[in-house]
Amino acid sequence: MLSPSDFAFLWDDCCRCFYRKVACRQPRLRMPFPSVFGKIDRAMKEHFLGERAETVAEGMPEGVIGGGDRWVKSAPFELPGCSRTVVIRGRVDVLVDCDGGSFGVIDFKTTMPKADHIATYSRQLHAYAWALEHPASGSPVPVSALGLLCFLPETFGAHGPRAGVFGSLEWVEIPRDDEKFAGFLCEVAAVLEGAVGPPPSPDCPWCPLVDGRNGGLCCIS
């Protein structure tokens, strides 16, 4: 089972940790994450559900925002050069029901929009698109747009005991590039086919601890 969110961070952080999670079923220890960002993202979803996407931020696909927190799962498929079938499973923030009959995959982020977000989140959103277009059950869902809706808090306001933050919204479009995503999946296949995991990233804080406990081994049992 491949998680789209692991394509965004875990793969770049440490391929050995990625291998260990997928092939050996040994996930990384969870680091504390400030809950406020999750609460802001959830509030954004609740606020925009049912809204016309193109009125929210310039450049967003024309259609209605819906489908919040939808779990998606692909049918089993083979990666080039990989002897095992794999499945993509993850949760999409929201979908845009586009006017032309297709859908847009949207991720909410509380952050300053940056150019490198395209590289960071492209694989994750492409994985969601793949699962929607090749579902484990039901009809395929055509995906025509991928992108991030970024909220950057800038000011604070209060009225009595109630308060809130205000800021700008910006749409960051992720260009669809299935060929590049397929090439990435080939890299994933090469790592997963190894009988022993790849070397750890030099700055990975977890591998020295886990490898020391396991005698330096990371292999499929």
Side-chain angles (χ1 to χ4, degrees):
M1 191 84 69
L2 299 177
S3 170
S5 59
D6 288 341
F7 293 163
F9 291 105
L10 184 58
W11 176 268
D12 286 334
D13 284 350
C14 182
C15 284
R16 188 176 184 85
C17 286
F18 179 92
Y19 175 93
R20 183 179 286 117
K21 178 179 179 180
V22 178
C24 307
R25 295 183 175 84
Q26 297 175 1
R28 253 185 181 182
L29 296 175
R30 290 182 177 271
M31 291 290 289
F33 186 79
S35 62
V36 65
F37 294 109
K39 291 180 179 179
I40 292 175
D41 290 348
R42 285 193 295 273
M44 289 173 64
K45 286 179 240 183
E46 292 172 4
H47 177 80
F48 289 123
L49 286 179
E51 297 286 333
R52 295 286 305 183
E54 69 271 20
T55 67
V56 174
E58 183 179 356
M60 291 191 71
E62 296 182 357
V64 178
I65 297 176
D69 289 326
R70 172 173 171 172
W71 282 96
V72 296
K73 182 180 179 181
S74 76
F77 63 95
E78 293 183 358
L79 295 176
C82 190
S83 61
R84 298 177 299 160
T85 59
V86 296
V87 171
I88 291 175
R89 182 177 183 272
R91 188 169 62 183
V92 179
D93 271 359
V94 296
L95 296 175
V96 175
D97 188 351
C98 299
D99 294 343
S102 61
F103 287 82
V105 177
I106 313 299
D107 219 29
F108 287 96
K109 300 296 179 187
T110 303
T111 183
M112 176 182 292
K114 297 179 182 178
D116 58 8
H117 283 163
I118 294 178
T120 300
Y121 296 106
S122 176
R123 298 185 297 239
Q124 179 181 1
L125 296 186
H126 275 79
Y128 291 139
W130 179 278
L132 287 164
E133 293 177 340
H134 306 83
S137 61
S139 301
V141 174
V143 176
S144 59
L146 308 172
L148 312 174
L149 183 60
C150 297
F151 169 56
L152 178 61
E154 296 167 333
T155 62
F156 174 87
H159 182 72
R162 303 290 293 175
V165 292
F166 301 86
S168 58
L169 291 167
E170 186 171 330
W171 169 248
V172 178
E173 183 175 358
I174 305 293
R176 188 76 185 262
D177 190 340
D178 289 347
E179 183 176 350
K180 184 175 181 180
F181 181 63
F184 165 70
L185 290 180
C186 288
E187 294 181 48
V188 172
V191 167
L192 294 180
E193 277 298 278
V196 178
S201 296
D203 54 352
C204 178
W206 302 112
C207 282
L209 299 175
V210 179
D211 289 345
R213 184 184 63 194
N214 294 344
L217 298 178
C218 176
C219 58
I220 303 176
S221 58

